Amino acid sequence: MILPELGKERGYISESVFTVIFLSFVLWTFHPFIYHSKRFYTVLLWRRVLAFLVACQVLRIITFFSTQLPGPNYHCREGSELARLPRPDSVVEVLLINFPRGIVYGCGDLIFSSHMIFTLVFVRTYQKYGSKRFVKLLAWLLAIIQSLLIIASRKHYTVDVVVAWYTVNLVVFFVDNRLPEMPDRTGGSPPLLPLSVKEKDSRAKEENHKLLNGNSGENADWRQRPQVNGKHAEDGNHVHSEATLNGTRR
């Protein structure tokens, strides 16, 4: 009641914002094929994104099959010619739910919003792997605007958007803990995500410094030192040399 209804004439605004978010994220995930600086592998990134989406959509299917709310949009109201889908003429139409009319003018799949699932998954993914602070802030702002536009266009109720906000974030948190991203580097296995340029330079300098000093860093002090009178031999030689120097000075 607080947000004015966009109506049939301005309903495209919500879909336009969602399309911008969707296409921008997809194009960003494939930018490692164009630029040389790779912060992630596209395949591994989409593996994680699809895990988020599948888990959220399964929960969504359970909720909208087990709940029934009156459709808030204009085409779902009593007296509208679009309130009922035409009778399917074949099995294919049943499986596709009169595609695309069933998707555009659907009225029952409300709790919770599928648009918000995609939006929040994309924003959370860029928040983790993106590098531009301004883009991160803009992405969260667009997610909030998208939430309000979905309600204003009467595609969903407020409860559908609110449930999507905390459900998607909990799913992302759970999958992140269950789906390992980078193996333990101490075991010698290569990392799944490439190192940044600064990390590569610092690691190369560190290895060169160790090689110049004759110390590999990994197997330092591996030799067993013989002990003389409760002290290491190297320490005894050091003490003996100091005594010799002191004797010459005297």
Side-chain angles (χ1 to χ4, degrees), residues 180-197:
E181 182 177 18
M182 298 182 65
D184 188 7
R185 295 183 180 181
T186 58
S189 55
L192 294 179
L193 297 179
L195 298 174
S196 62
V197 178

Side-chain angles (χ1 to χ4, degrees), residues 28-33 37-49 125 129 181 190-195 200:
W28 170 75
T29 58
F30 285 94
H31 86 271
F33 291 96
S37 58
K38 296 182 179 180
R39 296 181 58 87
F40 55 83
Y41 289 126
T42 301
V43 174
L44 297 179
L45 181 71
W46 274 104
R47 168 176 171 261
R48 184 167 295 272
V49 169
T125 304
Y129 297 102
E181 182 177 18
L192 294 179
L193 297 179
L195 298 174
K200 288 182 179 179

Side-chain angles (χ1 to χ4, degrees), residues 121-136:
V121 167
F122 293 165
V123 172
R124 285 291 302 263
T125 304
Y126 187 83
Q127 177 69 29
K128 185 175 183 180
Y129 297 102
S131 58
K132 304 296 183 181
R133 180 180 177 85
F134 172 75
V135 178
K136 294 179 181 180

Side-chain angles (χ1 to χ4, degrees), residues 83-147:
R84 290 178 177 269
L85 294 175
R87 184 180 181 85
D89 297 328
S90 63
V91 178
V92 176
E93 291 186 359
V94 174
L95 296 176
L96 297 180
I97 320 177
N98 293 323
F99 181 83
R101 183 171 179 174
I103 296 178
V104 178
Y105 299 109
C107 296
D109 54 341
L110 294 175
I111 300 178
F112 45 96
S113 173
S114 179
H115 284 66
M116 289 309 302
I117 290 177
F118 283 89
T119 300
L120 292 174
V121 167
F122 293 165
V123 172
R124 285 291 302 263
T125 304
Y126 187 83
Q127 177 69 29
K128 185 175 183 180
Y129 297 102
S131 58
K132 304 296 183 181
R133 180 180 177 85
F134 172 75
V135 178
K136 294 179 181 180
L137 296 176
L138 179 62
W140 284 111
L141 179 61
L142 287 177
I144 297 174
I145 295 175
Q146 177 68 22
S147 303

Side-chain angles (χ1 to χ4, degrees), residues 15-26:
E15 289 298 326
S16 299
V17 174
F18 176 76
T19 303
V20 170
I21 297 174
F22 188 92
L23 294 179
S24 300
F25 179 80
V26 172

